[in-house]
Amino acid sequence: MSAPDPRLSINQATIRRADLRTALDVTRGAGVEAIGLWREPVNAVGLATATSMLADSGLRFTTHCRGGFFTVPDGDARRAAMDDNRAAIEETAALAAAGAPGSTAVLVLVAGGLPAGSRDISGARERVRDAIADLAPSAAAAGVTLAIEPLHPMYATDRCVVSTLGQALDIAADFDAAVVGAAVDTFHIFWDPDVLTQIARAGRDGRIATFQVCDWKTPLPADVLLSRHYPGEGVIDLAGLASAVVATGYEGDIEVEIFNAEIWADSPENVVQRTVDAFTAAVSPSLRRIPSGK
Amino acid sequence: MSAPDPRLSINQATIRRADLRTALDVTRGAGVEAIGLWREPVNAVGLATATSMLADSGLRFTTHCRGGFFTVPDGDARRAAMDDNRAAIEETAALAAAGAPGSTAVLVLVAGGLPAGSRDISGARERVRDAIADLAPSAAAAGVTLAIEPLHPMYATDRCVVSTLGQALDIAADFDAAVVGAAVDTFHIFWDPDVLTQIARAGRDGRIATFQVCDWKTPLPADVLLSRHYPGEGVIDLAGLASAVVATGYEGDIEVEIFNAEIWADSPENVVQRTVDAFTAAVSPSLRRIPSGK
């Protein structure tokens, strides 16, 4: 058992069974300073109550999860998706304002997969770019940063057509870095031969909107969505990736977001403490940025 | 039921339960002109018998599957792996010589994953490059082309640290194109935002050592190794990818290689006929190269 790293943020998905009240209490109770929230538990209590609960908790707010799912072609479904994303932007701004100093107004965007019956992944990717262009003015007005999250290519067709950090940065490059960045999640990008180059690029361009860590190991479970593990329990070179992120000058909070049926079956208290311990062992040693000498 | 496309080659893994005799008979019986073989069934009858059976079949030989698995660090295991790869090179040359005119001496290489206990994917990738350098003289002497096969990133840690076509081509670039090329397999690379650029590069550099098609759909089965489908039964833009390969001037045979428990449970005769039909419907229309006008 260790004291929490001050940069650790618990992403609420890691304690998925917990409602907002429980998630805030357990996170704060463990001495963790920050939390990333999900829309469903926030909306279950209503935004006004959620912001009030968050303010009372004294926790920093790090990300709102999530918007996106806008690869459908033009029509009612796309309009509904865009309206929902604009609502998510407003929620993000309100939550960030309610969080403790150092909170960040970041909305994570998972693009969505191929529309039913489509094989046109290039077309779907173009619609992501169009959707970001559509949302950027609302995000800018609200002071929210949209974090395009590349997901592992095994999710490319059914969940997220944005598959690499380079691809996310290519989309983001059309926009102000304060408005559109990328989510850097070790699980999704560690395999990429180009990952260190793209992390450096993301940092240089000011596009690391959030940094998330968890681990990968095989065999994958039957539901590959649930294949994320505590940091250090798999084979990702977390030290190398965290060092690369820190080397860019990233000084923000770092979320642990885990989807895993066994972890979800554990109590939120246990999960948060295990996350604290795993983070301290596998990530914290890499966070000491070497001074530049100036 | 359709007449087989003259460029279709049945990769023996598609009819995995069939021994070599059956595989040759069923493939020929369906009117297919070419076959790709696997080492285990070849070695089950012995190389001399296998070459004789292949010669009698009148089939073209397209690839030998497979070498590789050389990411282990220096030591006995690595030496054994390299010896085994040299044996595979000799088998490939013998089989190609025994096949009908138009046979190709191509050995497919699956690099291997992370060694047990390792998190050093960059190091494993460097060992792939070293292993290719080690094998290239033997391949050149035998007249064999080594086809580095990038596998889908979901296999990056337990099966193949080569995850993109670009990465395979970067390794191949150090060698003569007649000796080291890449395997272009739709299943493994379709998701890559850079796939069309890399196919064009592979063709321009003469590095398309083999072209393999099958399809992807979700949800993935519990064993993600077995998630390959008949062409046209999934969501890959096979027409787009096949057109891109053909546009480079690739005129070789095209293998269908499917790992799928349900397909393996079917009779080899049914599987070959279904493959013939699927290929004709989903791939053949894209193989007519538009003349350049010269």
Side-chain angles (χ1 to χ4, degrees):
Chain A
M1 197 165 149
S2 45
D5 190 293
R7 294 176 73 176
L8 167 63
S9 174
I10 300 291
N11 183 290
Q12 191 172 3
T14 305
I15 44 174
R16 186 178 183 167
R17 286 188 313 160
D19 60 16
L20 182 61
R21 170 86 280 147
T22 306
L24 294 168
D25 287 350
V26 169
T27 299
R28 190 185 181 184
V32 173
E33 298 182 16
I35 193 164
L37 296 179
W38 276 64
R39 297 189 67 199
E40 294 77 358
V42 164
N43 288 320
V45 299
L47 183 60
T49 302
T51 53
S52 163
M53 286 166 59
L54 175 64
D56 289 346
S57 76
L59 293 169
R60 291 190 298 276
F61 171 79
T62 50
T63 68
H64 201 34
C65 298
R66 60 196 176 188
F69 295 96
F70 36 44
T71 52
V72 290
D74 282 341
D76 287 350
R78 186 175 171 91
R79 270 189 297 277
M82 299 308 293
D83 287 346
D84 192 48
N85 274 282
R86 274 183 275 269
I89 288 169
E90 296 307 318
E91 292 164 21
T92 304
L95 290 163
S103 291
T104 48
V106 173
L107 174 63
V108 175
L109 300 181
V110 173
L114 289 173
S118 170
R119 294 188 172 95
D120 183 11
I121 197 166
S122 299
R125 286 165 170 165
E126 281 310 305
R127 283 193 295 279
V128 174
R129 186 184 296 273
D130 295 345
I132 302 285
D134 236 21
L135 294 177
S138 304
V144 167
T145 303
L146 304 173
I148 303 171
E149 180 161 30
L151 257 55
H152 191 286
M154 69 185 175
Y155 309 120
T157 60
D158 62 357
R159 185 154 298 263
C160 183
V161 295
V162 179
S163 304
T164 65
L165 181 53
Q167 187 190 358
L169 295 173
D170 285 347
I171 297 171
D174 290 347
F175 306 92
D176 186 328
V179 179
V180 183
V184 174
D185 182 318
T186 57
F187 177 90
H188 291 304
I189 64 171
F190 78 95
W191 61 268
D192 186 346
D194 209 24
V195 65
L196 295 180
T197 305
Q198 295 301 332
I199 286 175
R201 173 189 173 198
R204 194 169 56 242
D205 297 351
R207 302 280 180 182
I208 304 179
T210 176
F211 179 38
Q212 301 182 331
V213 296
C214 73
D215 220 328
W216 163 284
K217 65 180 171 181
T218 59
L220 301 173
D223 181 349
V224 295
L225 263 184
L226 308 185
S227 50
R228 299 167 68 101
H229 298 272
Y230 288 118
E233 298 205 343
V235 297
I236 297 180
D237 176 18
L238 293 174
L241 296 176
S243 297
V245 169
V246 169
T248 70
Y250 179 81
E251 294 182 335
D253 291 322
I254 300 168
E255 289 191 6
V256 174
E257 182 190 49
I258 306 176
F259 297 3
N260 180 308
E262 281 177 39
I263 293 174
W264 287 345
D266 197 358
S267 76
E269 290 81 0
N270 282 347
V271 171
V272 169
Q273 190 57 51
R274 288 195 61 181
T275 302
V276 164
D277 295 343
F279 190 95
T280 298
V283 182
S284 295
S286 306
L287 300 183
R288 296 178 198 104
R289 194 182 176 203
I290 294 153
S292 67
K294 299 206 177 187
Chain B
M1 196 163 150
S2 46
D5 190 294
R7 294 177 74 176
L8 168 63
S9 174
I10 300 291
N11 184 289
Q12 191 172 2
T14 306
I15 45 173
R16 185 178 185 169
R17 286 189 312 159
D19 59 16
L20 182 59
R21 170 87 280 149
T22 307
L24 293 168
D25 287 351
V26 169
T27 300
R28 189 185 182 185
V32 173
E33 297 181 18
I35 193 164
L37 297 180
W38 276 64
R39 296 190 68 202
E40 294 78 0
V42 164
N43 289 319
V45 300
L47 183 59
T49 302
T51 53
S52 164
M53 286 165 58
L54 175 63
D56 289 346
S57 76
L59 293 169
R60 290 190 300 276
F61 171 78
T62 49
T63 67
H64 200 35
C65 297
R66 58 192 180 193
F69 295 97
F70 35 44
T71 51
V72 288
D74 282 342
D76 287 351
R78 187 175 171 92
R79 272 190 296 278
M82 299 309 291
D83 288 346
D84 192 49
N85 274 281
R86 274 183 275 270
I89 288 170
E90 296 306 319
E91 293 164 20
T92 305
L95 290 163
S103 292
T104 48
V106 173
L107 174 62
V108 175
L109 300 181
V110 173
L114 289 174
S118 170
R119 293 189 173 97
D120 183 12
I121 198 166
S122 299
R125 285 167 170 163
E126 281 310 305
R127 284 193 293 280
V128 174
R129 186 185 294 271
D130 295 344
I132 303 285
D134 235 22
L135 294 176
S138 305
V144 167
T145 303
L146 304 173
I148 304 171
E149 180 162 29
L151 257 55
H152 191 286
M154 70 185 173
Y155 308 121
T157 59
D158 62 356
R159 184 154 299 262
C160 184
V161 295
V162 179
S163 305
T164 66
L165 182 54
Q167 187 191 357
L169 295 173
D170 285 346
I171 297 172
D174 289 346
F175 307 94
D176 186 327
V179 179
V180 183
V184 175
D185 183 320
T186 56
F187 176 89
H188 292 305
I189 64 172
F190 78 95
W191 59 270
D192 186 348
D194 208 25
V195 64
L196 296 179
T197 304
Q198 295 300 331
I199 286 174
R201 172 189 173 198
R204 194 169 57 240
D205 296 350
R207 304 278 180 184
I208 304 180
T210 178
F211 179 37
Q212 301 182 331
V213 295
C214 74
D215 220 329
W216 162 284
K217 65 179 170 183
T218 58
L220 300 173
D223 182 349
V224 294
L225 264 184
L226 308 184
S227 50
R228 299 166 67 100
H229 297 273
Y230 288 117
E233 298 204 343
V235 297
I236 297 179
D237 176 18
L238 293 174
L241 295 176
S243 298
V245 168
V246 168
T248 71
Y250 179 80
E251 295 182 334
D253 292 322
I254 300 167
E255 289 191 5
V256 174
E257 183 189 47
I258 305 176
F259 297 3
N260 180 308
E262 280 177 38
I263 292 174
W264 287 345
D266 197 357
S267 77
E269 290 81 0
N270 282 347
V271 171
V272 170
Q273 191 57 51
R274 286 194 62 181
T275 303
V276 164
D277 295 343
F279 191 94
T280 298
V283 182
S284 295
S286 306
L287 301 183
R288 298 180 197 101
R289 193 180 178 204
I290 294 151
S292 67
K294 299 211 173 181

